[in-house]
Amino acid sequence: MRDSAFPAKLIDKFGRHVDYIRLSVTDRCDFRCVYCMTEEMTFMPRKEVLSLEELYQVAKAFTELGVKKIRLTGGEPLVRTDVMALINKLGALPGLQELLLTTNGSQLTTFAERLKKAGVTRINISIDSLKADRFRRISRVGKLDKVLAGIDSAIAHGFERIRLNSVVMRGYNDDEVLALTGYALDRNLDIAFIEEMPLGEASDHSREDTTCSNAWVRAQIEKKYQLVDSTTRTAGPSRYVQVMGSRSRIGFISPVTHNFCEDCNRVRITVEGRLLLCLGNEHSVDLRAILRDASKDMNDLKDALVASMDIKPERHYFYDRDHVQPVRLMNMTGG
Ligand code: SAM
Ligand code: SF4
């Protein structure tokens, strides 16, 4: 049968095994974070966005090719109408070991229970400030109390290893590194500090002025806490340390100052069905064209995924200011 012709694994030409996808379920969001979006955003026309069924078909094809981990992202995944219908189906996909979600937390009080029941294993919640006025400045429209309630709700529903994500930006929230760390530690949560990436033009600031290196962030934390390098390694730009005397881990996601591309195990699917083989390059495959071609089926989709491995770039060049960076904003990319 044709099915048996498919390798169980997706392996690129550098020998890297792709077993993790980040699936963007919407480019829309109830926030407008300064590092991610412009204030006046134009979103994709709905007909260009993959339907929930198309998103499911993509996820199914990947899991049949050995993908074990799916992260749902966006935009804000929880603002997509009927997103739970998709999440429930994904949670039942054979072979899938981890179903993860990255969210801004604003809707978690409504969704936490259903996400847990659907089989979502872990949640990352973004929070860049613990001061309400500043939180609003960074997210442009977000309400801090809703996000804090969302975090409490995720904790109450027993999600394992909830991780907070904070983008540290000079002049915006660089004086809150210790406060954010303390907030996470008090609740036994993990926290990851993310270097601002040059994806698209930021409209409120020049990224050159705001980007803080994680080496600097770590030095701030070490003024108060003793950090022990963790043996946990993930195949991505995150490196974790353990805080002495605490269950929490601190992650440093350093795409700008470090390059961990040799371990890369992931690809992204944008909301219009573009399979993006690297966050920092434009190499992609149009999966939507295959999904919407009545003469093509699941085998054609899988063929395209296997073939895409040949164009996965070796690395990104975020640290190289002379290199032309993608014009895509993060909400279009799927964080
Ligand atoms: N809306 C959800 C959220 O905010 O968590 C999921 C999508 S968001 C694009 C995913 C992650 O990307 C968030 O943690 C956000 O802080 C981060 N992010 C967005 N734009 C970024 C940028 N230019 N540089 C670094 N991180 C960015
Ligand atoms: Fe929305 Fe997340 Fe982008 Fe903020 S980072 S604007 S919450 S998608």
Side-chain angles (χ1 to χ4, degrees), residues 181 185 221 225-228 241-250:
T181 304
L185 264 53
I221 298 171
Y225 300 102
Q226 200 178 338
L227 306 181
V228 188
V241 296
Q242 195 76 43
V243 182
M244 207 54 154
S246 158
R247 283 178 48 204
S248 298
R249 293 179 312 167
I250 300 182

Side-chain angles (χ1 to χ4, degrees), residues 68-101:
K68 308 254 175 298
K69 182 164 152 184
I70 298 179
R71 177 175 297 284
L72 301 176
T73 180
E76 172 49 40
L78 299 180
V79 304
R80 172 100 194 228
T81 309
D82 280 342
V83 73
M84 282 312 306
L86 171 68
I87 299 179
N88 284 324
K89 280 173 76 177
L90 295 179
L93 269 177
L96 189 66
Q97 290 172 2
E98 289 186 275
L99 183 55
L100 317 168
L101 175 79

Side-chain angles (χ1 to χ4, degrees), residues 35-36 73-76 102-103 126 165 167 195-197 330:
Y35 47 75
C36 177
T73 180
E76 172 49 40
T102 302
T103 173
S126 302
N165 280 347
V167 178
E195 287 176 348
E196 184 181 5
M197 282 177 275
M330 194 64 163

Side-chain angles (χ1 to χ4, degrees), residues 115-180:
L115 292 168
K116 181 83 181 153
K117 277 199 186 129
V120 171
T121 40
R122 282 188 288 137
I123 303 189
N124 289 354
I125 307 168
S126 302
I127 181 164
D128 303 317
S129 174
L130 293 165
K131 299 180 180 181
D133 53 342
R134 192 182 275 185
F135 185 88
R136 196 178 187 85
R137 166 78 188 95
I138 296 173
S139 63
R140 292 202 186 98
V141 285
K143 291 203 172 73
L144 175 65
D145 54 351
K146 283 183 101 178
V147 174
L148 296 179
I151 294 171
D152 288 342
S153 183
I155 296 170
H157 286 92
F159 284 97
E160 291 291 307
R161 295 232 82 107
I162 296 167
R163 190 184 89 187
L164 307 180
N165 280 347
S166 302
V167 178
V168 181
M169 289 178 298
R170 200 161 307 285
Y172 278 101
N173 62 349
D174 52 324
D175 56 349
E176 281 194 77
V177 170
L178 278 177
L180 287 161

